[in-house]
Amino acid sequence: MSGAGPGSALLSDVRPWGGPPADVRVVDGVIAELLPVGTVPGAGEDVVDGRGRLLLPSFADVHVHLDSTGLGLPFRPHTGTPGVWGMMLNDRANWRGAEAPIADRTTEALGRMVARGTTSARSYAQVDVDAGLERLQAVLAAKEAHRDRATVEVIAFPQAGLLREAGSVELLDEAMSQGADVVGGIDPCLLDRDPARHLDLVFGLAEKHDAPIDVHLHEPDQLAKFSAELIVERTRAHGMTGRVTISHGYGLSALPREELLPLVEQFAELDIAWATIAPPSPLPTLLLAEHGVRVGLGEDGQRDYWSPYGNADMLDRTWQLAFTNGFRRDEHVEHCVAVATVGGRSVLGTAPALRDHLDRPGASVGDPADLLLVEGETVTAAVMDRSPDRTVLFRGRVVADGLELTGAA
Ligand SMILES: [Zn+2]
């Protein structure tokens, strides 16, 4: 009964990662004990009725654009034109005119994410000469509104590049001084057309603000490879081991194995992480896990000016990761859950990288009690069924139940 009492909670009859039923005691926001089912709660101890549900680590969405979300608004037909610049202009022309103020939208979207099982997130906030710091302030407002439900990192994101519009670099610098956590970069070759200059600016700001880096890479194969090599060079030169993430990297996934492998080995050596959104040409997650490269999953936009996809549900996106990879074996589908949960935390630096594709951390003694209870016969069945019967815990406290937030903010 060690530690039972006020400040502790007993999760009764749960199945950690689909294993045998257990009662789980949580103390001070950490899993303290795994006990036999039927354990008598301590005096004053909260009890969460597990009802035989699965116990998983909660989701970490490491690539979400809260500042462009359209969740909760009337559906809007897609009007963007293909390509990053065209999509950016479509967003720029419309985001202020949406039915609700941007800070209300970011807060609504983050709440929906928590309600569905996400308690860690890394969100972009577009910083450019159109938005200034307005979108950053909106994401920071969402973070503050849900501070007792989720941890959120904010990326100051130069969606319009750094070299195309005067004042972009100064704004990114200011965003880092105004509460952003991560310096963003984007398509150093294709957007700014001066990859060395773009990346030097990004790494320079990261050094100045002692911050990590996340670079959006939509570029095709050889350009993506070239950009990735420049990122590797600078990660090494600036001593940024463990502090750089490549997002998307679509073109890298398409490289022949003999070209991809040396890059993956360098990512492992310099601990460069990879964030994916489960696109049609999927990331080689098994290969990355084999090499101990940190990999996380995200939703990208949510029904925004770039695409109608994204519904705040990382369990849906986990299904998508499995589906786009063509996975059928349970161990592979479960690996997708590991990527979407603890894999994401590894990108955020709050958990180690998955050791291999069979690694299932996050629901054992000593792990943070950021947890998801979800109905499902097995973990793979839960991904296929995506039941609404979920309970979400953040730091050992229930923050959502049945896809609704619980309690006051
Ligand atoms: Zn994105």
Side-chain angles (χ1 to χ4, degrees):
M1 298 294 287
S2 57
S8 73
L10 192 67
L11 318 182
S12 68
D13 189 16
V14 298
R15 289 176 294 134
W17 276 107
D23 288 353
V24 172
R25 173 161 287 136
V26 166
V27 179
D28 296 333
V30 174
I31 296 177
E33 290 178 283
L34 264 55
L35 301 157
V37 171
T39 298
V40 177
E45 188 171 39
D46 293 332
V47 177
V48 179
D49 190 357
R51 293 184 280 106
R53 287 177 293 174
L54 300 167
L55 179 71
L56 299 170
S58 55
F59 292 110
D61 183 332
V62 294
H63 188 122
V64 62
H65 294 260
L66 284 175
D67 67 329
S68 63
T69 182
L71 291 177
L73 303 183
F75 188 83
R76 182 183 183 284
H78 183 64
T79 52
T81 53
V84 168
W85 191 253
M87 293 286 197
M88 190 284 294
L89 289 177
N90 183 50
D91 176 287
R92 191 179 269 184
N94 290 294
W95 71 274
R96 279 198 178 86
E99 289 83 347
I102 183 68
D104 292 358
R105 285 150 54 198
T106 56
T107 303
E108 167 71 19
L110 182 57
R112 287 184 184 217
M113 290 165 64
V114 172
R116 286 155 183 77
T118 297
T119 62
S120 302
R122 190 185 247 189
S123 174
Y124 298 88
Q126 181 167 335
V127 174
D128 68 0
V129 297
D130 163 67
L133 301 183
E134 199 177 334
R135 296 168 73 144
L136 171 68
Q137 298 303 346
V139 177
L140 291 173
K143 172 180 175 168
E144 176 61 24
H146 294 292
R147 58 185 288 184
D148 294 328
R149 297 179 172 128
T151 50
V152 178
E153 276 194 0
V154 185
I155 304 171
F157 181 45
Q159 179 81 72
L162 287 172
L163 306 175
R164 297 173 70 121
E165 298 175 316
S168 301
V169 179
E170 291 76 7
L171 274 169
L172 199 63
D173 190 6
E174 184 59 22
M176 293 307 299
S177 300
Q178 297 285 324
D181 305 292
V182 183
V183 181
I186 180 168
D187 294 344
C189 297
L190 274 185
L191 195 58
D192 273 343
R193 305 178 74 84
D194 189 345
R197 178 86 184 117
H198 178 95
L199 290 171
D200 285 344
L201 287 165
V202 169
F203 276 82
L205 285 175
E207 199 159 62
K208 176 177 175 184
H209 295 279
D210 188 20
I213 286 171
D214 178 292
V215 181
H216 260 68
L217 212 52
H218 311 91
E219 296 169 343
D221 40 44
Q222 291 303 317
L223 275 185
K225 185 182 168 196
F226 183 58
S227 290
E229 287 167 352
L230 296 183
I231 290 168
V232 163
E233 264 176 33
R234 281 157 182 75
T235 303
R236 200 187 297 279
H238 287 257
M240 287 287 283
T241 296
R243 305 196 76 192
V244 175
T245 301
I246 291 179
S247 269
H248 299 313
Y250 302 127
L252 303 179
S253 303
L255 288 172
R257 193 53 69 105
E258 66 271 19
E259 290 188 58
L260 177 60
L261 204 51
L263 271 179
V264 168
E265 284 165 355
Q266 290 178 88
F267 290 176
E269 180 205 339
L270 295 167
D271 197 12
I272 293 173
W274 203 332
T276 186
I277 59 158
S281 305
L283 204 66
T285 55
L286 299 178
L287 176 78
L288 295 173
E290 217 172 87
H291 284 79
V293 173
R294 292 177 293 137
V295 184
L297 182 66
E299 269 211 301
D300 213 6
Q302 301 160 320
R303 193 178 275 205
D304 63 9
Y305 305 99
W306 292 64
S307 114
Y309 294 92
N311 63 355
D313 193 340
M314 282 289 286
L315 188 52
D316 278 5
R317 190 54 59 117
T318 303
W319 176 92
Q320 184 174 318
L321 182 63
F323 180 77
T324 53
N325 272 287
F327 289 155
R328 295 177 184 218
R329 296 182 64 85
D330 291 45
E331 71 191 50
H332 291 154
V333 177
E334 283 193 26
H335 168 63
C336 292
V337 178
V339 167
T341 56
V342 180
R345 291 182 197 170
S346 78
V347 172
L348 299 173
T350 56
L354 295 171
R355 292 182 305 258
D356 59 49
H357 82 272
L358 297 173
D359 202 7
R360 303 285 180 266
S364 305
V365 171
D367 286 322
D370 295 353
L371 298 165
L372 170 67
L373 295 171
V374 58
E375 195 275 329
E377 276 178 85
T378 68
V379 175
T380 298
V383 174
M384 298 305 138
D385 295 342
R386 301 185 296 283
S387 169
D389 185 358
R390 305 180 203 178
T391 303
V392 186
L393 289 95
F394 178 62
R395 295 177 181 157
R397 203 172 56 83
V398 172
V399 291
D401 193 50
L403 308 189
E404 299 287 342
L405 297 179
T406 54

